[in-house]
Amino acid sequence: MPSKAGVAGLTTALLLSKKPGYKVVIAAKHMPGDYDIEYASPWAGANYMPVSIGGTEAADWDKKTWMVLADLAANHPGAGIHFQDCEIHNRSQDVGTATATWFSGLLSPNPWFAKVVPNFRLLSKESLAPGIDSAIAFTSVCINTAIYLPWLVSQCLANGVIFKRAVFEHIIDATYNGFHPSGKVSLVVNCTGLMASMLGGVQDSTVTPARGQIVVVRNETNKMFNISGTDDGESEACYIMTRAAGGGTILGGSYQKGNWDGQPDPNLATRIMKRAVEMCPALTNGKGIEHLDIIRHGVGLRPVREGGNRIEKEKVNGVWVVHNYGAGGAGYQCSYGCAQAAVDLVDEAYGFISTL
């Protein structure tokens, strides 16, 4: 029973639903179509820019996820994912800032994913704008979350997954009140994201928000851009991506750890737009931010966890719980790898259950 209908919960439920013998219920406060500050997944860009460090579990999760996202982009247009060329620009002056630390794996001149993504290359120094010390480029994907999350729901429904609205005070609440058609819940998968910091039985104090603010515009670009930092503060960022299927272009952003504010900051929005137009003049044909056609402003709280994702199993009040949360800003690009790791733990737990 995945307990949140974000990208982690939906992906885990989808993989579980493909295995014979599992009857899956998603019981969640928020579902695709909702927009709430507690619910990070709809606000994401989202894309594939691996920030993981080579040789780690996180890199392995990212690698496994790329294979699925690339297949969806190539062969399943209904998922709302498309390929897009991506450039990552690096400034040495940003080393040690919050944004550069977040992007540390991505900014490596020889990153582990160079042999995973298509068309990886180093850009020549001569081709870079003043102040940019190095840059890489590769083919990535951009995900229209307004299409992709409902698509995941549709795939789950086709496999018999049941969806129910629910609010839980404690993780074990998911085993009560007849949520499961059998009348009994034998295992809970905890995909509560940021709310893992507050959920009884979990209350993970190492989970904190990293506030991201974006502007969504109708202007389009044929490239995705990211830079290691800005001159407007170490917790501010500059990234640009155009979503698939008319989803608009995301201009970001910020990485404000510990900030729970769900309201857009108009001054930050102005800085975001100015940085985007400077980085990608094609957005407005070389004109100013007044030529950006704004769809909306948004704020999302990335569920960051010290030490990275928690993918573990434990017993709580005698019930097996498998955790899959804490991906921060990497939730989409590690989604299938993390979900498979969680499913493997579910299989282990049921193996233990069957021998008791």
Side-chain angles (χ1 to χ4, degrees), residues 159-172:
N159 290 349
V161 175
I162 296 170
F163 287 77
K164 292 188 177 184
R165 294 273 184 171
V167 178
F168 303 121
E169 298 295 326
H170 193 283
I171 188 71
I172 296 304

Side-chain angles (χ1 to χ4, degrees), residues 4 6 28-30 34-43 166-168 191-196 198 260 262 299-303:
K4 194 163 190 178
K29 181 179 181 180
H30 301 295
D34 297 354
Y35 284 89
D36 188 278
I37 197 60
E38 294 179 3
Y39 185 35
S41 289
W43 302 107
V167 178
F168 303 121
C191 300
T192 50
L194 188 58
M195 293 302 104
M198 302 179 184
W260 287 83
V299 174
L301 303 181
R302 305 175 184 91

Side-chain angles (χ1 to χ4, degrees), residues 145-299:
T145 62
I147 295 175
Y148 182 60
L149 292 173
W151 181 84
L152 285 174
V153 171
S154 72
Q155 301 303 298
C156 287
L157 288 171
N159 290 349
V161 175
I162 296 170
F163 287 77
K164 292 188 177 184
R165 294 273 184 171
V167 178
F168 303 121
E169 298 295 326
H170 193 283
I171 188 71
I172 296 304
D173 291 350
T175 67
Y176 304 150
N177 301 322
F179 285 115
H180 200 279
S182 70
K184 179 183 178 182
V185 173
S186 54
L187 183 145
V188 177
V189 181
N190 171 30
C191 300
T192 50
L194 188 58
M195 293 302 104
S197 63
M198 302 179 184
L199 181 64
V202 183
Q203 293 177 312
D204 190 337
S205 61
T206 67
V207 176
T208 188
R211 181 182 182 275
Q213 182 167 322
I214 59 170
V215 183
V216 188
V217 300
R218 293 182 178 86
N219 311 62
E220 293 188 352
T221 174
N222 61 359
K223 282 187 180 181
M224 192 184 302
F225 295 93
N226 202 345
I227 191 168
S228 59
T230 78
D231 296 326
D232 294 325
E234 71 163 87
S235 64
E236 297 194 19
C238 182
Y239 52 85
I240 303 166
M241 66 197 83
T242 297
R243 284 175 166 175
T249 296
I250 305 294
L251 311 180
S254 62
Y255 193 78
Q256 299 167 329
K257 289 189 74 173
N259 188 335
W260 287 83
D261 186 1
Q263 296 302 311
D265 176 348
N267 294 321
L268 174 55
T270 298
R271 295 194 296 273
I272 286 171
M273 291 187 287
K274 286 182 176 178
R275 293 193 295 256
V277 167
E278 180 179 347
M279 187 174 195
C280 182
L283 278 170
T284 57
N285 295 318
K287 300 176 183 177
I289 66 171
E290 64 274 10
H291 292 274
L292 289 171
D293 189 357
I294 298 172
I295 299 171
R296 66 177 176 275
H297 298 269
V299 174

Side-chain angles (χ1 to χ4, degrees), residues 106-172:
L106 184 64
L107 297 171
S108 169
N110 185 28
W112 65 265
F113 57 84
K115 295 181 180 179
V116 175
V117 295
N119 305 315
F120 181 89
R121 59 205 184 275
L122 300 176
L123 300 182
S124 67
K125 176 71 173 175
E126 295 73 25
S127 68
L128 305 179
I132 305 299
D133 295 294
S134 62
I136 61 173
F138 56 92
T139 298
S140 182
V141 293
C142 188
I143 302 165
N144 185 340
T145 62
I147 295 175
Y148 182 60
L149 292 173
W151 181 84
L152 285 174
V153 171
S154 72
Q155 301 303 298
C156 287
L157 288 171
N159 290 349
V161 175
I162 296 170
F163 287 77
K164 292 188 177 184
R165 294 273 184 171
V167 178
F168 303 121
E169 298 295 326
H170 193 283
I171 188 71
I172 296 304

Side-chain angles (χ1 to χ4, degrees), residues 9-30:
L10 290 170
T11 308
T12 305
L14 177 58
L15 296 189
L16 284 169
S17 73
K18 294 180 177 181
K19 298 177 73 73
Y22 289 153
K23 296 178 180 179
V24 182
V25 177
I26 291 183
K29 181 179 181 180
H30 301 295

